[in-house]
Amino acid sequence: MKSRVLVVSDQEGLDLKAGVANAVAAGALLGEVTLLLIGRVCQQAIQQASELAGVSELLLTGFSDSREIPGSESLAAGIVNLMEGYSHLLMPASSFGRDILPRVAGLMDQPPVTEVVGIRDDHTFIRPLHAGNALATVQLSELPALLTIRTTAFAPASTSPTPAPIRKITLNIPQESHGLSRRLGFTPSPGERPDLNTARIVVAGGQGVAEAGSFELIEAVADGLGGAVGATRAAVDGGLAPNDWQIGQTGRIIGPDIYIGAGISGAIQHLAGIKDARCIVAINSDPTAPLHSVADVSLTMDLFEALPALMEALDRPLD
Ligand SMILES: Cc1cc2nc3c(=O)[nH]c(=O)nc-3n(C[C@H](O)[C@H](O)[C@H](O)COP(=O)(O)OP(=O)(O)OC[C@H]3O[C@@H](n4cnc5c(N)ncnc54)[C@H](O)[C@@H]3O)c2cc1C
Protein backbone atom coordinates (compact mmCIF):
# COMPACT_ATOMS: atom_id res chain seq x y z
CA MET A 1 0.00 0.00 0.00
CA LYS A 2 1.35 3.44 -0.89
CA SER A 3 1.57 5.65 2.19
CA ARG A 4 -0.91 8.49 2.48
CA VAL A 5 0.35 11.07 4.87
CA LEU A 6 -1.59 13.72 6.77
CA VAL A 7 0.57 16.57 8.11
CA VAL A 8 -1.23 18.81 10.61
CA SER A 9 -0.10 22.14 12.07
CA ASP A 10 -1.60 25.15 13.73
CA GLN A 11 -1.14 28.41 11.87
CA GLU A 12 -1.03 32.07 12.78
CA GLY A 13 0.60 35.17 11.27
CA LEU A 14 1.32 36.22 7.72
CA ASP A 15 3.94 33.58 6.96
CA LEU A 16 3.59 29.83 7.16
CA LYS A 17 4.54 28.74 10.67
CA ALA A 18 8.12 27.64 11.23
CA GLY A 19 8.60 23.91 11.02
CA VAL A 20 5.66 23.15 8.70
CA ALA A 21 7.88 22.94 5.59
CA ASN A 22 10.22 20.59 7.51
CA ALA A 23 7.35 18.32 8.63
CA VAL A 24 6.09 18.25 5.02
CA ALA A 25 9.59 17.22 3.84
CA ALA A 26 9.56 14.39 6.42
CA GLY A 27 6.08 13.34 5.26
CA ALA A 28 7.15 13.39 1.61
CA LEU A 29 9.77 10.73 2.43
CA LEU A 30 6.82 8.41 3.15
CA GLY A 31 4.35 9.29 0.40
CA GLU A 32 1.80 11.76 -0.82
CA VAL A 33 1.18 14.55 1.70
CA THR A 34 -2.11 16.22 2.55
CA LEU A 35 -1.43 19.31 4.66
CA LEU A 36 -4.05 20.52 7.13
CA LEU A 37 -3.61 23.99 8.64
CA ILE A 38 -5.72 24.77 11.70
CA GLY A 39 -6.27 28.40 12.61
CA ARG A 40 -6.72 31.69 10.88
CA VAL A 41 -4.70 31.31 7.69
CA CYS A 42 -3.71 34.44 5.73
CA GLN A 43 -3.49 34.44 1.93
CA GLN A 44 0.33 34.66 2.04
CA ALA A 45 0.60 31.54 4.23
CA ILE A 46 -1.94 29.72 2.02
CA GLN A 47 0.23 30.42 -1.01
CA GLN A 48 3.42 29.32 0.76
CA ALA A 49 1.74 26.11 1.97
CA SER A 50 0.20 25.19 -1.36
CA GLU A 51 3.56 25.62 -3.11
CA LEU A 52 5.46 23.22 -0.85
CA ALA A 53 6.94 20.33 -2.83
CA GLY A 54 5.26 17.06 -1.86
CA VAL A 55 1.90 18.57 -0.85
CA SER A 56 -0.85 17.07 -3.02
CA GLU A 57 -3.73 18.84 -1.26
CA LEU A 58 -4.02 21.70 1.23
CA LEU A 59 -6.91 21.55 3.70
CA LEU A 60 -8.07 24.62 5.61
CA THR A 61 -10.47 24.64 8.51
CA GLY A 62 -11.36 28.31 8.01
CA PHE A 63 -11.60 29.67 11.56
CA SER A 64 -11.89 33.44 11.28
CA ASP A 65 -11.32 34.11 14.98
CA SER A 66 -8.84 32.28 17.20
CA ARG A 67 -11.58 31.92 19.82
CA GLU A 68 -13.46 29.68 17.37
CA ILE A 69 -10.64 27.14 17.43
CA PRO A 70 -11.85 24.24 19.55
CA GLY A 71 -9.96 23.03 22.61
CA SER A 72 -7.32 20.30 22.37
CA GLU A 73 -9.69 17.42 23.19
CA SER A 74 -12.09 18.49 20.44
CA LEU A 75 -9.33 19.08 17.87
CA ALA A 76 -7.84 15.65 18.56
CA ALA A 77 -11.25 14.00 18.10
CA GLY A 78 -11.77 15.95 14.86
CA ILE A 79 -8.38 14.80 13.53
CA VAL A 80 -9.18 11.17 14.41
CA ASN A 81 -12.33 11.48 12.27
CA LEU A 82 -10.19 12.74 9.40
CA MET A 83 -7.68 9.87 9.57
CA GLU A 84 -9.74 7.45 7.41
CA GLY A 85 -7.50 6.35 4.50
CA TYR A 86 -4.30 7.88 5.92
CA SER A 87 -1.41 5.63 6.91
CA HIS A 88 0.59 8.33 8.73
CA LEU A 89 -0.16 11.41 10.80
CA LEU A 90 2.76 13.83 11.26
CA MET A 91 2.80 16.96 13.39
CA PRO A 92 5.79 19.23 14.09
CA ALA A 93 7.02 18.63 17.66
CA SER A 94 5.85 22.14 18.58
CA SER A 95 3.79 22.86 21.68
CA PHE A 96 0.70 22.32 19.47
CA GLY A 97 1.90 18.97 18.13
CA ARG A 98 3.04 17.81 21.56
CA ASP A 99 -0.38 18.67 22.94
CA ILE A 100 -2.59 17.21 20.20
CA LEU A 101 -0.80 14.13 18.85
CA PRO A 102 -0.74 12.11 22.11
CA ARG A 103 -4.48 12.78 22.47
CA VAL A 104 -5.04 11.43 18.93
CA ALA A 105 -2.91 8.40 19.85
CA GLY A 106 -4.97 7.81 22.99
CA LEU A 107 -8.25 8.00 21.07
CA MET A 108 -6.93 5.64 18.35
CA ASP A 109 -5.28 3.27 20.85
CA GLN A 110 -2.03 3.49 18.86
CA PRO A 111 1.45 4.19 20.33
CA PRO A 112 2.75 7.64 19.30
CA VAL A 113 6.36 7.97 18.19
CA THR A 114 7.58 11.35 19.36
CA GLU A 115 10.44 13.69 18.36
CA VAL A 116 11.24 11.66 15.22
CA VAL A 117 14.63 12.61 13.75
CA GLY A 118 14.85 9.97 11.02
CA ILE A 119 12.60 7.81 8.84
CA ARG A 120 13.91 4.41 7.81
CA ASP A 121 10.75 3.03 6.17
CA ASP A 122 7.00 3.44 6.57
CA HIS A 123 6.97 1.45 9.84
CA THR A 124 10.43 2.35 11.23
CA PHE A 125 11.46 5.63 12.81
CA ILE A 126 14.44 7.02 14.70
CA ARG A 127 13.99 9.09 17.84
CA PRO A 128 16.40 10.40 20.50
CA LEU A 129 16.61 8.93 23.99
CA HIS A 130 18.37 10.05 27.19
CA ALA A 131 18.50 13.77 26.32
CA GLY A 132 19.76 12.95 22.83
CA ASN A 133 22.66 10.78 23.97
CA ALA A 134 21.27 7.69 22.28
CA LEU A 135 19.08 7.10 19.25
CA ALA A 136 16.33 4.49 19.33
CA THR A 137 15.05 2.78 16.19
CA VAL A 138 11.36 2.09 16.72
CA GLN A 139 9.39 -0.29 14.50
CA LEU A 140 5.61 -0.24 14.57
CA SER A 141 3.80 -3.51 13.95
CA GLU A 142 0.79 -1.77 12.46
CA LEU A 143 -0.30 1.51 10.91
CA PRO A 144 -1.38 4.27 11.17
CA ALA A 145 1.84 5.72 12.47
CA LEU A 146 1.34 8.79 14.64
CA LEU A 147 4.52 10.90 14.75
CA THR A 148 5.73 14.21 16.08
CA ILE A 149 8.63 15.44 13.96
CA ARG A 150 11.70 17.20 15.36
CA THR A 151 11.78 19.76 12.59
CA THR A 152 15.46 20.71 12.97
CA ALA A 153 16.32 17.18 11.80
CA PHE A 154 14.71 17.62 8.35
CA ALA A 155 15.55 20.26 5.73
CA PRO A 156 12.45 22.23 4.70
CA ALA A 157 10.52 21.14 1.61
CA SER A 158 11.44 23.11 -1.50
CA THR A 159 8.94 25.10 -3.53
CA SER A 160 6.98 23.45 -6.30
CA PRO A 161 6.03 25.38 -9.45
CA THR A 162 2.57 23.73 -9.38
CA PRO A 163 0.54 24.76 -6.33
CA ALA A 164 -1.56 22.06 -4.66
CA PRO A 165 -5.35 22.33 -4.78
CA ILE A 166 -6.97 23.89 -1.71
CA ARG A 167 -10.09 22.55 0.02
CA LYS A 168 -12.00 24.03 2.93
CA ILE A 169 -13.22 21.45 5.40
CA THR A 170 -15.15 21.39 8.65
CA LEU A 171 -13.68 19.17 11.33
CA ASN A 172 -16.21 16.57 12.39
CA ILE A 173 -16.05 16.86 16.17
CA PRO A 174 -18.20 14.39 18.12
CA GLN A 175 -20.73 15.98 20.45
CA GLU A 176 -19.17 14.40 23.55
CA SER A 177 -15.82 16.16 22.92
CA HIS A 178 -17.40 19.59 22.61
CA GLY A 179 -16.97 22.02 25.44
CA LEU A 180 -14.36 20.15 27.52
CA SER A 181 -12.14 23.20 27.07
CA ARG A 182 -12.54 26.43 25.14
CA ARG A 183 -9.99 28.98 23.92
CA LEU A 184 -10.92 32.38 25.30
CA GLY A 185 -8.27 34.48 23.59
CA PHE A 186 -4.99 34.51 21.82
CA THR A 187 -2.25 37.10 22.34
CA PRO A 188 1.00 36.74 20.37
CA SER A 189 4.05 37.64 22.47
CA PRO A 190 5.32 41.12 21.70
CA GLY A 191 8.79 41.64 20.33
CA GLU A 192 10.60 41.90 17.07
CA ARG A 193 13.18 39.21 17.71
CA PRO A 194 13.18 36.07 15.59
CA ASP A 195 11.53 32.99 17.01
CA LEU A 196 13.95 30.96 19.14
CA ASN A 197 13.04 27.69 17.39
CA THR A 198 13.93 28.96 13.93
CA ALA A 199 16.43 31.78 14.55
CA ARG A 200 19.69 31.52 12.59
CA ILE A 201 21.60 33.12 15.49
CA VAL A 202 20.88 32.44 19.17
CA VAL A 203 22.65 34.18 22.04
CA ALA A 204 22.01 32.35 25.30
CA GLY A 205 22.90 33.21 28.86
CA GLY A 206 23.18 31.14 31.99
CA GLN A 207 23.74 31.50 35.69
CA GLY A 208 27.07 33.23 34.94
CA VAL A 209 25.07 36.32 33.98
CA ALA A 210 23.55 36.49 37.49
CA GLU A 211 26.08 38.95 38.84
CA ALA A 212 24.69 41.58 36.40
CA GLY A 213 21.23 40.97 37.87
CA SER A 214 19.61 40.95 34.43
CA PHE A 215 19.90 39.60 30.90
CA GLU A 216 20.40 43.08 29.40
CA LEU A 217 23.85 42.31 28.00
CA ILE A 218 22.70 39.02 26.42
CA GLU A 219 19.68 40.78 24.90
CA ALA A 220 21.81 43.63 23.54
CA VAL A 221 24.20 41.19 21.86
CA ALA A 222 21.28 39.17 20.40
CA ASP A 223 19.68 42.37 19.07
CA GLY A 224 23.00 43.58 17.66
CA LEU A 225 23.36 40.30 15.74
CA GLY A 226 19.68 40.06 14.76
CA GLY A 227 19.32 36.88 16.79
CA ALA A 228 17.03 35.33 19.39
CA VAL A 229 17.71 35.13 23.12
CA GLY A 230 17.96 31.82 24.94
CA ALA A 231 18.61 30.81 28.54
CA THR A 232 19.41 27.87 30.75
CA ARG A 233 16.99 26.48 33.28
CA ALA A 234 19.15 27.88 36.08
CA ALA A 235 18.77 31.37 34.59
CA VAL A 236 15.01 30.89 34.24
CA ASP A 237 14.66 29.49 37.76
CA GLY A 238 16.75 32.40 39.04
CA GLY A 239 14.29 34.89 37.52
CA LEU A 240 16.80 36.25 34.99
CA ALA A 241 14.89 35.09 31.94
CA PRO A 242 11.32 34.11 31.11
CA ASN A 243 10.35 30.48 30.85
CA ASP A 244 9.87 30.44 27.07
CA TRP A 245 13.56 31.32 26.54
CA GLN A 246 14.67 28.04 28.11
CA ILE A 247 16.70 25.79 25.84
CA GLY A 248 17.23 22.11 26.57
CA GLN A 249 15.64 18.82 27.45
CA THR A 250 12.69 20.49 29.16
CA GLY A 251 12.81 23.64 27.01
CA ARG A 252 13.22 24.41 23.33
CA ILE A 253 15.23 22.31 20.90
CA ILE A 254 17.03 24.71 18.58
CA GLY A 255 19.06 24.35 15.39
CA PRO A 256 20.61 27.76 14.56
CA ASP A 257 23.63 28.38 12.34
CA ILE A 258 25.38 30.00 15.33
CA TYR A 259 24.72 29.47 19.03
CA ILE A 260 26.63 31.66 21.49
CA GLY A 261 26.43 30.39 25.08
CA ALA A 262 27.72 32.82 27.75
CA GLY A 263 28.04 31.91 31.41
CA ILE A 264 26.63 28.46 30.73
CA SER A 265 28.28 25.35 32.16
CA GLY A 266 26.92 22.99 29.49
CA ALA A 267 24.91 20.53 31.58
CA ILE A 268 23.72 17.50 29.65
CA GLN A 269 20.10 18.72 29.83
CA HIS A 270 21.07 22.03 28.19
CA LEU A 271 23.24 20.37 25.54
CA ALA A 272 20.21 18.25 24.53
CA GLY A 273 18.66 21.43 23.15
CA ILE A 274 21.64 22.68 21.12
CA LYS A 275 22.87 19.48 19.47
CA ASP A 276 21.60 20.62 16.06
CA ALA A 277 23.40 24.00 16.19
CA ARG A 278 25.87 24.20 13.31
CA CYS A 279 28.43 26.32 15.18
CA ILE A 280 28.68 26.49 18.99
CA VAL A 281 30.55 29.36 20.61
CA ALA A 282 31.27 28.87 24.32
CA ILE A 283 32.14 31.81 26.59
CA ASN A 284 32.95 30.58 30.08
CA SER A 285 35.70 31.64 32.46
CA ASP A 286 36.09 28.06 33.71
CA PRO A 287 38.23 26.06 31.23
CA THR A 288 36.73 22.80 32.55
CA ALA A 289 33.12 23.79 31.78
CA PRO A 290 31.58 21.02 29.61
CA LEU A 291 30.27 23.57 27.08
CA HIS A 292 33.88 24.13 25.97
CA SER A 293 34.24 20.48 25.04
CA VAL A 294 31.34 20.58 22.53
CA ALA A 295 32.19 24.05 21.20
CA ASP A 296 33.53 24.90 17.76
CA VAL A 297 34.86 28.19 19.16
CA SER A 298 35.90 28.33 22.81
CA LEU A 299 36.58 31.54 24.73
CA THR A 300 37.85 30.95 28.28
CA MET A 301 37.00 34.47 29.35
CA ASP A 302 34.79 36.56 31.55
CA LEU A 303 31.60 37.05 29.57
CA PHE A 304 31.36 40.71 30.61
CA GLU A 305 34.63 41.31 28.76
CA ALA A 306 34.17 38.82 25.94
CA LEU A 307 30.74 39.91 24.70
CA PRO A 308 31.50 43.66 24.35
CA ALA A 309 34.86 42.77 22.72
CA LEU A 310 33.10 40.41 20.31
CA MET A 311 30.66 43.14 19.28
CA GLU A 312 33.53 45.63 18.83
CA ALA A 313 35.36 43.12 16.63
CA LEU A 314 32.20 42.64 14.55
CA ASP A 315 31.92 46.43 14.17
CA ARG A 316 28.66 46.47 16.10
CA PRO A 317 29.70 48.06 19.40
CA LEU A 318 27.19 47.96 22.24
CA ASP A 319 25.76 51.30 23.42
C1 LIG B 1 15.16 16.77 34.80
C2 LIG B 1 16.01 17.99 34.52
C3 LIG B 1 15.74 18.72 33.37
C4 LIG B 1 16.50 19.84 33.09
N1 LIG B 1 16.25 20.54 31.94
C5 LIG B 1 17.04 21.58 31.62
C6 LIG B 1 16.85 22.29 30.39
O1 LIG B 1 15.93 22.04 29.61
N2 LIG B 1 17.70 23.30 30.11
C7 LIG B 1 18.73 23.67 30.93
O2 LIG B 1 19.46 24.60 30.59
N3 LIG B 1 18.92 23.01 32.10
C8 LIG B 1 18.10 22.00 32.46
N4 LIG B 1 18.31 21.38 33.65
C9 LIG B 1 19.27 21.95 34.60
C10 LIG B 1 20.71 21.56 34.30
O3 LIG B 1 21.01 20.34 34.92
C11 LIG B 1 21.67 22.63 34.85
O4 LIG B 1 21.45 22.80 36.22
C12 LIG B 1 21.56 23.99 34.17
O5 LIG B 1 21.58 23.85 32.77
C13 LIG B 1 22.75 24.85 34.60
O6 LIG B 1 22.55 26.15 34.11
P1 LIG B 1 23.78 27.14 33.96
O7 LIG B 1 24.78 26.57 33.01
O8 LIG B 1 23.20 28.46 33.66
O9 LIG B 1 24.34 27.25 35.44
P2 LIG B 1 25.66 26.69 36.09
O10 LIG B 1 25.77 25.23 35.93
O11 LIG B 1 25.68 27.26 37.47
O12 LIG B 1 26.84 27.34 35.23
C14 LIG B 1 27.17 28.69 35.24
C15 LIG B 1 28.48 28.81 34.49
O13 LIG B 1 28.79 30.17 34.34
C16 LIG B 1 30.21 30.33 34.41
N5 LIG B 1 30.46 31.70 34.77
C17 LIG B 1 30.17 32.33 35.95
N6 LIG B 1 30.52 33.64 35.89
C18 LIG B 1 31.02 33.84 34.65
C19 LIG B 1 31.54 34.97 33.97
N7 LIG B 1 31.56 36.19 34.55
N8 LIG B 1 31.98 34.82 32.70
C20 LIG B 1 31.95 33.62 32.09
N9 LIG B 1 31.46 32.49 32.68
C21 LIG B 1 31.00 32.62 33.94
C22 LIG B 1 30.65 29.32 35.44
O14 LIG B 1 31.98 28.95 35.22
C23 LIG B 1 29.66 28.17 35.19
O15 LIG B 1 30.22 27.19 34.34
C24 LIG B 1 17.55 20.25 33.96
C25 LIG B 1 17.81 19.49 35.10
C26 LIG B 1 17.05 18.39 35.38
C27 LIG B 1 17.36 17.58 36.62
Side-chain angles (χ1 to χ4, degrees):
M1 185 186 85
K2 194 170 181 319
S3 297
R4 279 195 66 211
V5 182
L6 179 63
V7 173
V8 179
S9 173
D10 59 335
Q11 172 60 33
E12 73 210 27
L14 281 180
D15 287 308
L16 189 60
K17 237 184 148 175
V20 177
N22 310 66
V24 164
L29 296 173
L30 292 158
E32 196 170 89
V33 173
T34 300
L35 173 60
L36 166 64
L37 294 178
I38 296 175
R40 192 172 154 197
V41 189
C42 300
Q43 199 50 44
Q44 186 168 313
I46 292 176
Q47 189 180 341
Q48 290 166 354
S50 66
E51 289 177 353
L52 287 177
V55 174
S56 61
E57 190 178 24
L58 173 63
L59 305 182
L60 302 173
T61 51
F63 297 107
S64 57
D65 184 318
S66 59
R67 277 172 297 186
E68 287 175 17
I69 301 173
S72 306
E73 302 84 356
S74 308
L75 277 182
I79 292 170
V80 170
N81 282 334
L82 202 65
M83 279 298 290
E84 177 82 44
Y86 289 104
S87 54
H88 295 75
L89 169 65
L90 273 64
M91 298 183 74
S94 57
S95 50
F96 181 77
R98 286 180 182 148
D99 178 22
I100 304 293
L101 191 118
R103 296 176 194 275
V104 173
L107 292 169
M108 296 187 83
D109 203 16
Q110 276 287 97
V113 185
T114 56
E115 304 282 337
V116 168
V117 294
I119 295 175
R120 193 162 282 176
D121 60 43
D122 60 352
H123 283 68
T124 317
F125 310 100
I126 299 166
R127 66 178 303 272
L129 279 182
H130 308 308
N133 287 296
L135 292 175
T137 303
V138 181
Q139 188 165 55
L140 294 174
S141 52
E142 56 184 60
L143 298 178
L146 309 174
L147 318 174
T148 60
I149 298 295
R150 186 171 284 185
T151 51
T152 50
F154 296 88
S158 55
T159 305
S160 158
T162 323
I166 300 164
R167 186 157 58 96
K168 286 212 167 125
I169 60 159
T170 306
L171 283 177
N172 174 11
I173 297 171
Q175 196 54 41
E176 65 270 21
S177 336
H178 273 291
L180 287 174
S181 67
R182 197 157 64 89
R183 193 184 291 228
L184 296 177
F186 174 78
T187 316
S189 340
E192 309 255 303
R193 292 195 185 113
D195 182 65
L196 187 52
N197 286 92
T198 52
R200 295 184 58 207
I201 299 176
V202 172
V203 184
Q207 193 55 28
V209 178
E211 124 188 12
S214 83
F215 248 43
E216 255 175 44
L217 176 60
I218 302 293
E219 292 182 63
V221 173
D223 292 340
L225 298 176
V229 182
T232 62
R233 180 154 133 184
V236 170
D237 289 349
L240 290 166
N243 191 267
D244 61 347
W245 288 359
Q246 185 181 316
I247 297 168
Q249 186 185 339
T250 46
R252 313 268 203 118
I253 308 289
I254 59 167
D257 291 339
I258 301 176
Y259 159 96
I260 301 175
I264 293 176
S265 57
I268 191 170
Q269 295 90 351
H270 185 77
L271 298 185
I274 62 168
K275 278 202 156 61
D276 293 329
R278 278 167 277 284
C279 175
I280 295 177
V281 180
I283 303 174
N284 193 310
S285 45
D286 176 0
T288 67
L291 191 63
H292 285 306
S293 59
V294 297
D296 301 282
V297 180
S298 231
L299 300 177
T300 306
M301 282 179 78
D302 187 307
L303 71 95
F304 298 104
E305 284 170 29
L307 287 174
L310 179 72
M311 296 308 278
E312 285 280 344
L314 293 173
D315 224 8
R316 297 178 200 189
L318 300 171
D319 294 334

